[in-house]
Amino acid sequence: RLQSKDFDLWEARPRTGRKHQIRIHAAALGIPLLGDVEYGGSPYPFICLHDKCIRFPGDLSIEAKPPVYFDHLEWLGEEWFASKLFDIDRRTRLFGEGVGTVRLAVGLEGFGDRAVATVSGRGQERLSEFLGRDVIVQGAGGEWTVEENGVKFELRADSPASVGLFLDQRLQRNWIKEISRGRDVLNLFAGNCTSSVAAAKGQAKQVTSVEMRKSSLEWGRKNFEINELSRADFKFLCRDSIGLIQQFATKGTAFDLIICDVPSFFRREKGVFRIEEDLESLLMSCLMCLKPGGELLFSTSAPSLKIDDIRKTIESAGRKAKAGALEVSNVLPSLDFELPGEIPVLKSFIVKR
């Protein structure tokens, strides 16, 4: 038994293996586990129970290093900090140390020598010391450059929405870079053009980035500049992506690769887009603008649509667009976004014509 001012650490050595055995015995002894509300414990972000060692008949045993807060029980008094440590510890055990651009914990993402938290909390400075990175809060301001898979991006923490690099699309950016050589690429809803830069670094023949917000396009130009990409074949169009892809479809303009990361709702130059109502029409236009053998990378974070819903809509759009046989593949999220119990927000598909 170890103690701090507010918490005790007990070691239990059960001789049998019954469901919830330690939790039930602890409650019966008047020392319920922190976070174990089911058996009388105080509410907490997680149940403070760790399986240090399991022994099987014979000589087989499996040991797991205790979490770091077992040596610093006082840290449990700072729930925000402790919840981040719990998630960091869980991910480190599964994937190893988080370096580069990686999700460190729920609400905490690593970008090079900095980590960005979606909200501030008690223990932020201590977390910075623990990680060996500056921990800043999204929306607090600041600019820096980070490198991912040989591509540089300028990040900005002045917006509460995003620092300019969505980590759940890391695999998609890597794929874009790998398959873009010699291709004509169209990036719809380009934002600050991170996917466009990946295509350009992959030696695409031409990259067209389409985005309605001028400020995002300027940010995109900066991302091209810091990667020393300045060819005339890189175009930036401040346009309504849907209106433009419809024009391209009417004129017969075609591309080898179309990237379409569409929001669930937005105001167009004329009218509004609602993904539940307008997705099929958008997909039809995209498929009509694909060259034979071309590929569409479609993504959305719309919570109202499930993976099967999107797949069926892609197949229906292909039939109506007379796009021929389509190869439709679902892109799974990277492992740091696919922990047990977590539902992936991003849904991505690669559609080959």
Side-chain angles (χ1 to χ4, degrees):
R1 175 186 179 185
L2 297 175
Q3 290 181 297
S4 71
K5 179 182 177 182
D6 300 305
F7 304 97
D8 291 344
L9 176 65
W10 291 79
E11 182 178 26
R13 297 183 179 181
R15 297 184 178 180
T16 59
R18 298 179 183 272
K19 185 177 181 180
H20 294 182
Q21 183 176 9
I22 294 174
R23 296 164 63 185
I24 293 172
H25 284 189
L29 292 170
I31 51 171
L33 302 181
L34 180 62
D36 191 5
V37 178
E38 183 176 355
Y39 293 108
S42 300
Y44 203 70
F46 55 92
I47 297 178
C48 294
L49 175 64
H50 174 73
D51 193 345
K52 181 181 178 182
C53 180
I54 300 178
R55 290 189 175 89
F56 298 91
D59 297 328
L60 178 62
S61 65
I62 301 174
E63 295 192 18
K65 181 181 177 182
V68 65
Y69 45 81
F70 273 29
D71 294 327
H72 302 275
L73 296 181
E74 69 278 5
W75 289 358
L76 295 171
E78 301 176 357
E79 290 190 21
W80 182 88
F81 174 49
S83 65
K84 294 294 182 283
L85 287 182
F86 172 79
D87 207 7
I88 291 169
D89 177 75
R90 181 171 61 149
R91 292 166 190 276
T92 300
R93 292 174 192 274
L94 290 172
F95 313 126
E97 295 291 335
V99 296
T101 56
V102 67
R103 192 185 198 194
L104 300 170
V106 174
L108 183 71
E109 297 184 337
F111 298 94
D113 60 357
R114 300 190 187 189
V116 179
T118 53
V119 295
S120 61
R122 185 180 173 196
Q124 184 175 325
E125 292 184 4
R126 197 190 305 276
L127 181 61
S128 179
E129 293 176 5
F130 176 79
L131 291 173
R133 312 185 190 206
D134 291 335
V135 176
I136 61 177
V137 178
Q138 199 163 299
E143 298 181 2
W144 72 104
T145 299
V146 69
E147 185 170 323
E148 174 192 84
N149 191 30
V151 185
K152 297 177 181 178
F153 302 102
E154 180 181 273
L155 306 188
R156 303 174 184 177
D158 54 358
S159 167
S162 168
V163 297
L165 192 65
F166 291 100
L167 296 189
D168 57 353
Q169 296 208 30
R170 181 176 60 247
L171 296 183
Q172 286 85 334
R173 286 188 293 272
N174 292 348
W175 177 81
I176 291 168
K177 183 182 177 185
E178 289 174 2
I179 58 91
S180 290
R181 180 187 291 270
R183 287 183 152 193
D184 288 331
V185 179
L186 173 66
N187 185 11
L188 303 173
F189 310 99
N192 59 330
C193 306
T194 54
S195 293
S196 300
V197 175
K201 289 287 285 185
Q203 300 184 37
K205 182 172 66 174
Q206 178 175 293
V207 181
T208 302
S209 304
V210 187
E211 170 60 47
M212 286 186 65
R213 295 166 297 180
K214 292 182 180 179
S215 58
S216 295
L217 275 183
E218 288 303 315
W219 191 349
R221 291 179 188 274
K222 184 63 180 297
N223 280 329
F224 271 74
E225 289 174 7
I226 62 177
N227 284 279
E228 300 180 353
L229 299 167
S230 58
R231 296 204 327 251
D233 296 324
F234 303 142
K235 301 177 182 179
F236 303 86
L237 304 181
C238 189
R239 294 284 304 276
D240 172 6
S241 291
I242 293 181
L244 188 61
I245 192 67
Q246 289 173 344
Q247 289 182 22
F248 284 155
T250 301
K251 295 178 180 179
T253 306
F255 300 86
D256 299 298
L257 173 63
I258 298 176
I259 304 161
C260 181
D261 179 15
V262 64
S264 57
F265 173 89
F266 68 95
R267 297 191 180 279
R268 299 181 53 197
E269 292 175 348
K270 296 181 181 179
V272 297
F273 172 87
R274 294 181 176 87
I275 195 166
E276 298 83 1
E277 302 170 6
D278 303 317
L279 176 58
E280 186 175 74
S281 175
L282 170 61
L283 288 170
M284 286 176 60
S285 296
C286 289
L287 294 173
M288 291 170 66
C289 291
L290 275 184
K291 296 178 181 179
E295 291 170 291
L296 165 66
L297 173 59
F298 174 81
S299 303
T300 183
S301 298
S304 61
L305 296 180
K306 307 302 182 185
I307 289 176
D308 286 344
D309 298 330
I310 299 172
R311 181 184 293 275
K312 291 176 182 177
T313 305
I314 292 172
E315 293 171 348
S316 175
R319 289 191 295 269
K320 293 182 180 181
K322 299 180 180 179
L326 299 176
E327 296 179 17
V328 183
S329 304
N330 178 221
V331 182
L332 296 176
S334 53
L335 292 177
D336 46 334
F337 283 85
E338 198 181 15
L339 282 175
E342 292 189 2
I343 299 175
V345 175
L346 181 70
K347 280 81 72 172
S348 286
F349 289 83
I350 296 173
V351 184
K352 186 171 183 179
R353 185 174 180 182

